[in-house]
Amino acid sequence: MSFLKCLAFVWLLTCCWHSRAAQDFLPTPPPDHGLIYVLDQQNQLKSLPFEKAETPLHPEEIAKGTKSSYIELKGEHSATVLEANTRIFLFTIDHGGAHPPLIVWLTPRKGARRVTAIAQKGLKGFAISSEEIVKPFARGLAKNGEEVFMELRPRASLMPGEYAIIGEDLTRVATFRVVGPPN
């Protein structure tokens, strides 16, 4: 009977070891909190380059009326190509009224890429049309005061196309494209 208990114990340890090894790798927060990162094949954080977006809206002013418009990035394609299941990491602020940057689907239009933006009467800033937001799974990994280092992952693998990670600062929009079928 003790041989069976020992065998069961070894089997349990083996199962625990394999399930622990199969868990996601969680990176430590990098020193530069202003960048957006992806995890490469060697589990190293690589920063995404930023592009400047433009909009006819005036997000720094309180909107006099509700208006639907766009946010546009020049160029047909992002220079950065990622896999459909790439993991994204960033720092965000955790307090009322703040929202983390969003992963959005960009639509090609006359040599540029666009997403629908809405200015709401009586408010500063803009909102992104909900149909163009990639529904995220957000996981906080480390917190320092109001700042949170988090993983932002789409709930499903991304389809081929152009994407952006848009926060409040339109001069710092991280863009990428997915070019193959999702894994």
Side-chain angles (χ1 to χ4, degrees), residues 70-85:
Y70 60 86
I71 294 172
E72 182 176 82
L73 294 137
K74 300 296 180 199
E76 253 183 290
H77 300 289
S78 172
T80 304
V81 177
L82 298 178
E83 293 184 17
N85 58 356

Side-chain angles (χ1 to χ4, degrees), residues 41-180:
Q41 298 292 342
Q42 292 77 34
N43 286 332
Q44 299 295 314
L45 290 174
K46 303 275 185 185
S47 63
L48 290 175
F50 289 114
E51 293 184 52
K52 181 181 178 189
E54 297 175 354
T55 182
L57 299 173
H58 301 282
E60 67 285 349
E61 299 173 9
I62 295 175
K64 292 180 173 73
T66 298
K67 181 180 178 182
S68 181
S69 189
Y70 60 86
I71 294 172
E72 182 176 82
L73 294 137
K74 300 296 180 199
E76 253 183 290
H77 300 289
S78 172
T80 304
V81 177
L82 298 178
E83 293 184 17
N85 58 356
T86 300
R87 297 170 62 196
I88 300 166
F89 298 87
L90 52 86
F91 290 88
T92 189
I93 301 299
D94 181 25
H95 65 75
H99 62 79
L102 302 169
I103 302 171
V104 301
W105 173 273
L106 298 172
T107 303
R109 186 171 192 284
K110 297 182 182 179
R113 296 154 286 150
R114 286 186 173 182
V115 64
T116 304
I118 303 152
Q120 187 175 348
K121 182 180 179 176
L123 299 176
K124 279 186 176 183
F126 58 87
I128 301 293
S129 173
S130 62
E131 295 84 32
E132 297 169 72
I133 297 172
V134 176
K135 304 301 183 240
F137 167 73
R139 175 167 55 168
L141 303 176
K143 188 169 182 165
N144 185 9
E146 288 188 332
E147 188 177 59
V148 178
F149 179 60
M150 66 185 297
E151 178 181 11
L152 195 61
R153 186 187 295 196
R155 291 183 185 173
S157 289
L158 298 173
M159 299 302 295
E162 298 286 331
Y163 296 89
I165 302 170
I166 298 180
E168 295 175 2
D169 185 356
L170 293 180
T171 65
R172 296 172 54 86
V173 176
T175 64
F176 62 94
R177 63 186 160 132
V178 173
V179 292

Side-chain angles (χ1 to χ4, degrees), residues 18-59:
H18 285 297
S19 69
R20 188 164 168 81
Q23 290 179 353
D24 288 340
F25 171 80
L26 299 176
T28 57
D32 192 337
H33 296 197
L35 299 176
I36 297 175
Y37 300 91
V38 293
L39 201 60
D40 68 11
Q41 298 292 342
Q42 292 77 34
N43 286 332
Q44 299 295 314
L45 290 174
K46 303 275 185 185
S47 63
L48 290 175
F50 289 114
E51 293 184 52
K52 181 181 178 189
E54 297 175 354
T55 182
L57 299 173
H58 301 282

